[in-house]
Every structure is written in C-alpha cells, then in structure tokens.
Amino acid sequence: CYGILSDYTCIPFLAKTELDAYFLPHEMVRAECVRAGIPAEKLIVTGMPVAAAFRETMTKAEAREALNIPAEKKLYLVMTGGIGCGDAIGLCERLLVLPDEDALIYVLAGRNQELLDRLEEKYGGNSPVRAVPFTDRVSAYMRAADVLLSKAGGISSAEAAVVGVPLVHTMMIPGVETKNADFFAGLGMSLRANTPEAAARFADRIVYDGKTAAKIIAAQRAHMPPDGAEKIAEYVLNH
C-alpha cells in the first residue's frame, strides 16, 4: 500500500499512516517528512505524477486553433480549481484596469455554476472576459495562454510547470496551498501574489516583459520532472 504526496509540503496526518512507501514530488520535501515522523527509508522521490495530456507536444498556435482562440490576442488564463474557488471577478476587474483591446481573459470556472452565471451576467457580450464551464481540455488552455493565474493546488501547479506556462499563484487557500506557492516561487517557477492587485501587476509584467516569462519557464524546466507517473509505476511494479 503506497501513498502519493500531492502537495509540496508534508500534509497534516500523513505521518499517522503506516504505508509501505511514500512517493514525494521533490527532494526538498524529504526533510520535512522525516521531521514529521515518516521513516526516511520509505520516502521515494519520484516527482509529481502528471496526466499524459500535459506532457504531449502541442504548440501555442495549435492549442489556440483547437480552442478557437484568436492567434494575435494576448491571453490571460484564470483557473479557480475544480470547485471554482477564490474571487475570480475581483481578479478580472484588476486585470481590466489597464484596457488592452488585444487582450482576452479566459476564466475556467470549474463546476461552480454560480460563478459561471455571475461571470456571464457581468461580462457577457463583447467583454474581453470569457467564462468557460467545466472542461477536460485544461492542458490545451494552458498551452494557449500567455500567463496563467491560478490557485496553488499541488497537482495543477505541477501540470502548469510541465506544460511550461508562466504562472502567477493567487487566490490561495491558507495552509497547504500557501506552502505550495512558497515552494514554487522560491524556485522561480511562479510569482506569488497575495492580493488581486499584485496578481494583475505580475501578470502584466509576464505578458509584456518576455524576460520574466522566460525565467519562469526555464526554472520550471529545471525543477519539474515530467515523468513522475512512470517512476511511481516502475517502483510499484518492481517491489
């Protein structure tokens, strides 16, 4: 019986379990798990398991064509998690402070129908803000984006880093998600924003300053292995 740590911190109560091995997303998490009481010999660093769709080769142009997104637009992608958490409308308002007719803001509302309805009511028509209901094409939206503003879920953050999209962590739920955001920002794989205003500033910097985006993508490539799922499967099959 194995466990997969799907955040970049030792989650509460993990050490209360007695499993045969624990798969960790990064070497930097090992010491924290040992301090929590998990035997060091049971900790296997594999990297985060990421679905195959996020590792497939698809260019930004191909993604935009598949999603019917104009190739010439700057695309801000806002992700609120599967249940649609955070103040997405407040974030959109901050992103709209600097009007740019060449920019679009796509908001993935997850399964939050109330949020979807509010977005469509407020931004319907010719607004640059587009509300997207629950979709299984998240990897394509990430590839189409110039910048991603997202909660700091462990798996979704890893997916973004494997895709290689410049990332701003915002709307974090205090606790594990703030730890995830600190981890990514500390390694240069994201920018961490504590307010919608800061998130909008960071996103604009990424979109209009190519050097910032390039640094984030380079850090993601350096620190985010794409083959965590294969390493986990290999270990299980051989033990």
Side-chain angles (χ1 to χ4, degrees):
C1 187
Y2 301 97
I4 299 173
L5 180 58
S6 60
D7 289 289
Y8 291 85
T9 183
C10 187
I11 62 172
F13 313 117
L14 184 65
K16 301 292 185 182
T17 62
E18 297 181 4
L19 306 179
D20 294 296
Y22 301 81
F23 301 117
L24 305 185
H26 198 277
E27 179 66 36
M28 290 174 63
V29 185
R30 179 193 291 274
E32 185 181 354
C33 291
V34 171
R35 289 195 300 270
I38 302 176
E41 64 272 16
K42 290 188 174 184
L43 299 172
I44 314 299
V45 178
T46 57
M48 191 74 77
V50 173
F54 296 90
R55 294 175 286 143
E56 295 171 352
T57 57
M58 175 186 282
T59 66
K60 179 182 291 187
E62 290 170 339
R64 292 197 175 193
E65 182 177 2
L67 297 170
N68 197 28
I69 297 173
E72 71 279 4
K73 297 287 188 178
K74 304 178 184 71
L75 179 57
Y76 295 70
L77 179 63
V78 177
M79 286 178 48
T80 62
I83 58 174
C85 295
D87 183 12
I89 290 179
L91 180 56
C92 288
E93 288 299 292
R94 292 299 173 182
L95 291 171
L96 292 170
V97 167
L98 295 177
D100 184 346
E101 62 184 16
D102 291 326
L104 293 173
I105 303 169
Y106 274 57
V107 183
L108 304 192
R111 292 185 170 89
N112 190 331
Q113 186 62 46
E114 180 183 356
L115 173 60
L116 185 67
D117 292 342
R118 290 171 59 208
L119 287 164
E120 291 179 342
E121 179 181 355
K122 186 174 182 64
Y123 300 113
N126 295 323
S127 170
V129 179
R130 312 289 168 84
V132 181
F134 183 82
T135 176
D136 60 0
R137 307 180 78 183
V138 174
S139 61
Y141 279 102
M142 284 186 179
R143 294 185 190 281
D146 293 298
V147 61
L148 168 63
L149 301 98
S150 175
K151 293 169 68 272
I155 293 177
S156 59
S157 298
E159 291 168 345
V162 169
V163 166
V165 58
L167 176 60
V168 177
H169 275 134
T170 184
M171 302 183 294
M172 290 87 67
I173 298 173
V176 170
E177 287 195 354
T178 53
K179 293 287 189 69
N180 289 338
D182 288 341
F183 179 88
F184 270 70
L187 291 175
M189 294 191 290
S190 74
L191 298 179
R192 186 188 192 282
N194 293 324
T195 64
E197 294 84 355
R201 288 198 306 271
F202 288 155
D204 285 338
R205 183 196 306 175
I206 287 170
V207 169
Y208 293 100
D209 173 14
K211 292 182 179 179
T212 300
K215 287 180 180 179
I216 293 173
I217 293 172
Q220 292 170 343
R221 289 174 178 165
H223 298 292
M224 186 57 58
D227 58 348
E230 286 81 0
K231 289 179 179 177
I232 291 170
E234 180 181 2
Y235 184 95
V236 172
L237 292 172
N238 291 326
H239 288 78

